[in-house]
């Protein structure tokens, strides 16, 4: 038994006689001849082909097969009724196909074995029918220009393409896999196309590596797991249908899942990838999770992805939920800084868990640091500098307005509050109030009231702003009391009386407080102490009992209203940040 290596591992040729041709050929000899098909004399070939009929058993393992011999083989096996070549058990294991390997329309009625075969030129299997197991494991498709073509083929039994190597594009468009489709550890140096395929059984791609994987329009009827896939460019699932619960594990630059249909629950475990879910149809819980470092992927493939796209970051990045029923969506450890939420249904029911990264306002003291949605950036970039998202809606009519963004924040706030995360909902409440303040459709009085609410307390969410305003109000009250509120001193009561016969009438009056001190004499330690008592009592809505001028009384009344409000707003802001 002879061996050769493939991908560093030994491959065994079957036992039995080997070709006696030159160069140590290990091909299977023709029946009744000492040499294989490649080294056989013309007469030996004529004798061999004369014995073949449609549906014959063919065994050319280890043989070098050129396009002329293959063409002649298919011709003698052609069924005149169907016009297609028919082979029963066909063994081409470890064969080397020189030139074009054209199996277009061939019907393999039994088991077909191309294990470890090498295709140096185009490999054409378009419209081929595999009624038995089709084994292509460890096969090499070396033609980088044309690659293998299996479009419209039918695999009625298991299709084994594990550890195959594809140097060019691999076209499996519209292929029907009636049972298992095994592509574990296959390597696709270019695009692997599986558009509009039907996977009736398991679809195994564990450890497969792609430059780009295209499953657009494919149907997965029973696949429970897809991946782990490594795509140095894109994974295209557009318009694919998943009929059974499935977990997709992938490392990719981009995942296109637009218009996909998910009939059962699904889990996407991703790394690096941006994922577009626009108009996806979700009928059950749909989770996007982050694949951790210990996920078991291929480090060399990941290194190639990072080299090709150095801007990628580790967390998965949903980019669009437009047209999606977000009530089914669960995001865990995701970057949603570029995600379009506008147009999603039931956004108030979305579940956000773990490390969720939202977009942030521009750096600087002008803007409050908070979690924002990208729609606010799109709107603000029209008026302010620094709000520059990387992509913009093309038509101006698609530009979201403040009323649209306010609705998004309101729904996201409710989802966080329903999850008992009131502190996490605080930023969304702030964003909602900001958009209402800038909404030109709101009444002027409402916008002014919101502006005051923003100015004095950051909508009841910025404790420091409320405390600064409280300190400023207390300081102003203190100064005004010293200037015009406190009299020269507390006036003593004056009692007067009149005697009429045996009757005495006594009247006690307190003179009105008088303030006529010179300006410099109004700022003394004793007066400051009295003013401070008034201010402190006002903060807790309590009368100080101090004698004040009429203006001072008015000042005290105003401070007893405004300062407790500011203190309450500060307490409310602290509670909003701490409550869970």
């Amino acid at each position: 038994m002879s061996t050769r290596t493939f991908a560093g591992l030994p491959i065994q040729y079957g036992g039995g006689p080997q070709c006696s041709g030159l160069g140590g050929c290990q091909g299977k000899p023709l029946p009744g001849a000492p040499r294989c098909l490649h080294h056989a004399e013309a007469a030996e070939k004529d004798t061999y082909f004369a014995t073949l009929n449609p549906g014959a058993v063919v065994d050319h393992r280890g043989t070098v097969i050129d396009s002329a011999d293959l063409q002649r083989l298919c011709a003698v096996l052609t069924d005149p009724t169907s016009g297609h070549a028919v082979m029963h058990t066909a063994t081409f294991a470890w064969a080397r196909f020189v030139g074009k390997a054209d199996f277009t329309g061939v019907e393999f009625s039994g088991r077909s074995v191309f294990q470890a075969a090498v295709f140096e030129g185009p490999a054409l299997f378009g419209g081929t029918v595999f009624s038995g197991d089709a084994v292509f494991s460890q096969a090499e498709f070396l033609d980088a220009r044309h690659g293998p073509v299996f479009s419209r083929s039918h695999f009625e039994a298991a299709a084994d393409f594990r550890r195959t190597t594809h140097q060019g594009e691999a076209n499996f468009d519209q292929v029907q896999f009636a049972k298992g489709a095994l592509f574990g550890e296959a390597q696709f140096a270019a695009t692997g196309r599986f558009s509009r395929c039907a996977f009736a059984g398991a679809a195994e791609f564990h450890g497969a590596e792609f430059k780009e994987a295209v499953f657009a329009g494919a149907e997965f009827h029973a696949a429970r797991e897809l991946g782990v896939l490594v795509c140095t460019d894109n994974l295209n699932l557009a318009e694919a249908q998943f009929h059974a619960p499935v977990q997709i594990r992938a490392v990719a630059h981009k995942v296109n899942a637009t218009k996909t249909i998910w009939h059962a629950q699904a889990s996407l475990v991703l790394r690096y990838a941006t994922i577009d879910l626009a108009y996806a149809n979700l009928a059950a819980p749909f989770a996007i999770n982050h694949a951790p470092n210990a996920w078991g992927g291929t480090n060399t493939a990941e290194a190639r992805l990072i080299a090709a796209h150095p801007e990628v970051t580790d967390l998965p990045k949903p980019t669009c939920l437009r047209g999606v029923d977000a009530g089914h969506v669960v995001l865990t450890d995701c970057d949603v800084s570029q995600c379009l939420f506008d147009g999603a249904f039931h956004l108030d029911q979305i579940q956000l868990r773990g490390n969720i990264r939202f977009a942030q306002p521009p750096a600087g003291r002008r803007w409050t640091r908070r979690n924002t949605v990208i729609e606010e950036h799109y709107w603000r970039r029209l008026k302010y500098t620094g709000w520059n998202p990387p992509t913009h809606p093309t038509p101006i009519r698609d530009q979201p307005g403040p009323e649209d963004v306010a609705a998004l924040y309101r729904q996201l706030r409710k989802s966080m509050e329903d999850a008992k995360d009131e502190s996490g909902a605080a930023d969304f409440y702030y964003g909602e109030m900001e958009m209402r303040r800038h909404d030109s459709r709101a009444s002027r009085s409402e916008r002014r009231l919101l502006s005051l609410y923003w100015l004095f307390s950051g909508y009841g969410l910025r404790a420091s702003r409320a405390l600064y305003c409280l300190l400023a109000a207390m300081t102003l009250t203190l100064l005004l009391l010293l200037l015009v509120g406190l009299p020269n001193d507390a006036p003593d009561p004056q009692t007067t009386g009149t005697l009429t016969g045996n009757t005495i009438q006594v009247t006690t009056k307190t003179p009105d407080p008088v303030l006529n001190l010179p300006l410099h004499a109004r700022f003394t330690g004793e007066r400051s102490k009295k003013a401070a008592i008034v201010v402190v009592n006002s903060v807790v809505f309590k009368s100080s009992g101090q004698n004040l001028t009429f203006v001072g009384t008015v000042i005290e009344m105003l401070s007893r209203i405004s300062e407790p409000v500011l203190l309450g707003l500060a307490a409310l802001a602290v509670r909003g940040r701490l409550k869970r």
Side-chain angles (χ1 to χ4, degrees):
M1 184 178 295
S2 302
T3 62
R4 69 180 175 88
T5 59
F6 177 87
L9 298 175
I11 297 176
Q12 295 183 344
Y13 290 67
Q18 296 178 356
C19 175
S20 61
L22 299 177
C25 176
Q26 301 178 46
K28 177 78 171 180
L30 297 178
R35 288 175 287 272
C36 68
L37 180 63
H38 181 64
H39 291 105
E41 300 289 342
E44 293 173 331
K45 291 185 180 182
D46 292 341
T47 301
Y48 168 65
F49 287 125
T51 63
L52 298 179
N53 293 302
V57 174
V58 177
D59 187 351
H60 293 290
R61 71 187 69 183
T63 302
V64 176
I65 303 175
D66 58 31
S67 55
D69 287 337
L70 180 59
Q71 183 178 7
R72 186 176 179 184
L73 176 64
C74 291
V76 299
L77 295 174
T78 299
D79 185 343
T81 303
S82 65
H84 297 294
V86 181
M87 304 182 192
H88 188 54
T89 302
T91 304
F92 293 93
W94 313 290
R96 179 177 292 272
F97 292 89
V98 180
K100 181 169 65 174
D102 191 352
F103 288 89
T104 302
V106 174
E107 298 178 9
F108 294 93
S109 58
R111 192 168 189 260
S112 52
V113 181
F114 290 84
Q115 182 181 10
V118 176
F119 297 85
E120 295 184 352
L124 307 179
F125 289 84
T128 304
V129 177
F130 298 88
S131 298
D133 292 343
V135 181
F136 285 84
S137 59
Q138 300 176 322
E140 299 182 69
F141 299 90
L142 302 181
D143 189 346
R145 181 178 179 183
H146 300 95
V149 177
F150 286 85
S151 57
R152 297 183 176 86
S153 295
H154 293 255
F155 292 87
E156 298 177 1
D160 187 353
F161 287 85
R162 288 175 292 184
R163 300 184 66 199
T164 52
T165 301
H166 306 261
Q167 296 299 330
E169 180 177 289
N171 188 339
F172 289 85
D173 289 347
Q174 301 183 50
V175 172
Q176 296 186 21
F177 297 95
K179 294 186 178 179
L182 310 178
F183 288 85
E185 299 184 53
Q187 297 186 359
F188 297 82
T191 302
R193 304 187 63 86
F194 296 84
S195 299
R196 304 180 70 179
C197 282
F199 296 90
E204 180 190 323
F205 288 84
H206 184 80
E209 299 179 18
F210 294 83
K211 185 176 187 294
E212 181 176 17
V214 180
F215 293 88
E219 291 193 36
F220 298 85
H221 292 272
R224 298 286 179 170
E225 186 174 10
L226 188 63
V228 178
L229 294 175
V230 180
C231 303
T232 54
D233 280 339
N234 305 329
L235 171 59
N236 189 345
L237 300 172
E239 301 184 24
Q241 295 190 44
F242 297 85
H243 295 268
V246 63
Q247 182 187 65
I248 299 177
R249 304 179 67 198
V251 170
H253 178 226
K254 294 181 179 179
V255 176
N256 181 0
T258 58
K259 299 182 180 179
T260 48
I261 300 177
W262 309 80
H263 297 278
Q265 67 183 39
S267 175
L268 272 62
V269 184
L270 304 175
R271 196 167 175 195
Y272 303 117
T274 61
I275 175 170
D276 188 349
L277 281 170
Y279 304 104
N281 188 333
L282 310 180
F286 182 91
I288 299 179
N289 306 301
H290 172 234
N293 291 332
W295 73 297
T298 304
N299 293 331
T300 56
E302 290 189 25
R304 289 195 295 270
L305 186 152
I306 296 173
H309 308 282
E311 76 283 359
V312 298
T313 54
D314 196 49
L315 294 181
K317 307 166 198 63
T319 59
C320 185
L321 292 178
R322 180 170 294 173
V324 175
D325 186 349
H328 293 299
V329 176
V330 180
L331 303 181
T332 304
D333 297 335
C334 290
D335 183 346
V336 296
S337 60
Q338 304 302 323
C339 184
L340 287 171
F341 294 99
D342 188 30
F345 305 115
H346 302 127
L347 188 59
D348 60 326
Q349 300 175 27
I350 192 172
Q351 297 186 48
L352 305 175
R353 301 175 178 175
N355 179 20
I356 302 295
R357 297 182 184 176
F358 281 86
Q360 297 293 318
R365 300 181 62 183
R366 180 180 181 183
W367 306 108
T368 301
R369 304 302 296 170
R370 58 188 172 89
N371 290 332
T372 61
V373 294
I374 198 64
E375 285 85 353
E376 181 177 350
H377 290 246
Y378 288 142
W379 177 78
R380 286 191 182 270
R381 70 182 173 86
L382 301 177
K383 301 178 62 175
Y384 307 101
T385 59
W387 297 77
N388 295 315
T391 58
H392 303 155
T394 302
I396 192 66
R397 64 179 178 271
D398 289 344
Q399 179 68 58
E403 68 280 1
D404 302 315
V405 183
L408 296 180
Y409 278 127
R410 189 178 305 114
Q411 294 178 79
L412 289 171
R413 172 174 61 86
K414 183 178 182 300
S415 73
M416 299 295 283
E417 291 173 345
D418 290 344
K420 307 302 181 183
D421 186 3
E422 294 193 17
S423 61
D427 282 350
F428 299 135
Y429 177 74
Y430 192 101
E432 178 187 351
M433 294 296 102
E434 274 287 272
M435 293 298 99
R436 288 180 57 189
R437 183 166 69 92
H438 290 287
D439 187 359
S440 60
R441 301 186 310 171
S443 64
R444 182 173 298 180
S445 58
E446 179 183 351
R447 295 175 63 187
R448 287 177 177 173
L449 181 61
L450 288 172
S451 296
L452 292 175
Y453 193 22
W454 165 78
L455 178 64
F456 289 117
S457 66
Y459 307 113
L461 295 173
R462 300 296 181 259
S464 58
R465 188 179 304 181
L467 291 174
Y468 289 146
C469 290
L470 175 61
L471 181 60
M474 293 173 65
T475 303
L476 179 61
T477 301
L478 180 67
L479 292 175
L480 290 176
L481 288 174
L482 293 175
L483 283 172
V484 296
L486 291 176
N488 295 343
D489 50 34
D492 295 328
Q494 296 180 359
T495 302
T496 59
T498 58
L499 178 61
T500 305
N502 296 327
T503 303
I504 300 177
Q505 295 181 345
V506 178
T507 303
T508 302
K509 294 183 178 179
T510 301
D512 292 336
V514 176
L515 176 60
N516 54 13
L517 294 174
L519 187 62
H520 69 275
R522 300 183 185 187
F523 295 91
T524 63
E526 184 64 26
R527 287 173 59 83
S528 297
K529 183 185 299 184
K530 293 180 180 180
I533 294 174
V534 175
V535 170
V536 172
N537 280 276
S538 296
V539 172
V540 294
F541 203 72
K542 181 180 178 182
S543 175
S544 64
Q546 293 282 348
N547 285 312
L548 301 173
T549 65
F550 173 76
V551 176
T553 302
V554 173
I555 294 172
E556 183 186 32
M557 292 174 61
L558 293 176
S559 66
R560 287 177 62 190
I561 296 173
S562 59
E563 292 172 6
V565 170
L566 293 173
L567 181 62
L569 290 173
L572 178 65
V574 172
R575 176 182 179 274
R577 286 299 180 182
L578 296 180
K579 184 177 179 181
R580 283 283 180 179

